[in-house]
């Protein structure tokens, strides 16, 4: 059994029979009901993906790109909890096998520094991109892809192009806390019109089984 649950914006929990992993517990997400994960994966250091106060009050090991680890260390997270994720790393939690692709965060504007970004491919079937549009995994094997739809670094056309790289996958919108309710509705109508039955907005806190 494998299922994932979205907790708002970019945060999700991934649960197998023998593992519980939380990804990107950030400041824009609802973190009250995420349980006690065995591990936490961070895609990059921005606060909407890694909320320092939440991370400090937990005890789970944290996995993140090198520059994010440096930031978390400076924020007082104990060294023994911190684990650097390198490009191509394979992380194993129980029966979960998660492959990381580490590259650059998408460009916000020329001259604005951007951090490293780790995308995570879970069991070859669920793709969590972070703030980038990575090329990772077998396009025909990915069953679910999370697509960021709003942020200072993207336009909706880029999100659609990213979803189209994975023609067999359900495309679930994330990274939308900057949008109003009407804005989310408009984005969803466009995505549904282009992607058709592949488009699926996950209901908050409702698990999706894979």
């Amino acid at each position: 059994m494998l299922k994932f649950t979205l907790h708002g914006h970019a945060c999700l929990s991934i649960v197998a029979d023998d593992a519980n992993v939380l990804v990107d517990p950030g400041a824009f997400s609802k973190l009250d009901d995420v349980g006690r994960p065995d591990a936490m994966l961070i895609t990059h250091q921005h606060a909407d993906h890694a909320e320092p106060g939440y991370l400090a009050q937990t005890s789970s090991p944290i996995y993140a790109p090198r520059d994010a680890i440096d930031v978390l260390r400076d924020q007082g997270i104990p060294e023994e909890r911190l684990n650097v994720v390198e490009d191509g790393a394979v992380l194993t939690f129980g029966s979960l096998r998660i492959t990381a692709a580490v590259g650059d965060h998408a460009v916000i504007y020329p001259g604005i520094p951007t951090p490293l970004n780790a995308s995570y491919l879970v069991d070859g079937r669920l793709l969590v991109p972070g703030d980038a549009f990575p090329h990772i995994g077998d396009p025909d094997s990915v069953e679910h892809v999370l697509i960021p739809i709003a942020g200072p670094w993207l336009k909706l056309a880029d999100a659609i192009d990213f979803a189209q790289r994975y023609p067999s996958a359900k495309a679930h919108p994330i990274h939308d806390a900057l949008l109003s309710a009407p804005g989310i509705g408009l984005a969803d109508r466009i995505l549904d019109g282009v992607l058709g039955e592949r488009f699926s907005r996950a209901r908050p806190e409702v698990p999706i089984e894979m």
Side-chain angles (χ1 to χ4, degrees):
M1 182 276 296
L2 178 63
K3 61 184 178 181
F4 67 93
T5 304
L6 297 184
H7 302 286
H9 194 57
C11 180
L12 72 154
S13 53
I14 304 165
V15 178
D17 290 328
D18 54 0
N20 181 354
V21 174
L22 185 67
V23 183
D24 277 357
F28 296 167
S29 300
K30 185 175 182 293
L31 303 176
D32 298 335
D33 300 317
V34 297
R36 300 182 65 178
D38 302 314
M40 291 186 285
L41 308 185
I42 307 299
T43 60
H44 62 283
Q45 67 187 46
H46 289 158
D48 60 323
H49 295 257
E51 205 286 309
Y54 173 79
L55 295 175
Q57 70 184 14
T58 63
S59 58
S60 305
I62 298 170
Y63 296 78
R66 184 173 302 278
D67 58 348
I69 291 294
D70 292 341
V71 170
L72 293 172
R73 183 184 296 113
D74 291 342
Q75 291 170 343
I77 303 296
E79 186 72 34
E80 60 269 19
R81 294 182 56 202
L82 299 176
N83 302 272
V84 173
V85 174
E86 303 285 3
D87 184 45
V90 178
L91 310 175
T92 302
F93 307 101
S95 58
L96 285 178
R97 181 180 172 90
I98 301 176
T99 303
V102 179
D104 293 327
H105 184 290
V107 173
I108 298 172
Y109 188 78
I112 296 179
T114 52
L116 293 173
N117 181 86
S119 302
Y120 297 110
L121 181 64
V122 182
D123 283 358
R125 298 190 288 153
L126 168 64
L127 177 52
V128 184
D131 281 13
F133 295 122
H135 291 270
I136 179 175
D138 177 359
D140 294 322
S141 298
V142 174
E143 299 173 5
H144 297 268
V145 59
L146 306 185
I147 53 170
I149 65 168
W153 53 274
L154 68 83
K155 59 183 179 182
L156 197 58
D158 297 329
I160 293 171
D161 287 343
F162 178 60
Q164 299 287 42
R165 292 185 204 160
Y166 300 91
S168 302
K170 287 283 188 182
H172 307 279
I174 60 166
H175 210 281
D176 54 9
L178 298 183
L179 295 179
S180 64
I184 288 175
L186 174 59
D188 283 4
R189 287 194 295 275
I190 293 171
L191 292 166
D192 183 65
V194 176
L195 300 175
E197 63 181 15
R198 292 181 50 225
F199 172 71
S200 174
R201 175 168 285 279
R203 289 189 293 161
E205 315 303 325
V206 177
I208 295 175
E209 292 191 10
M210 299 174 55

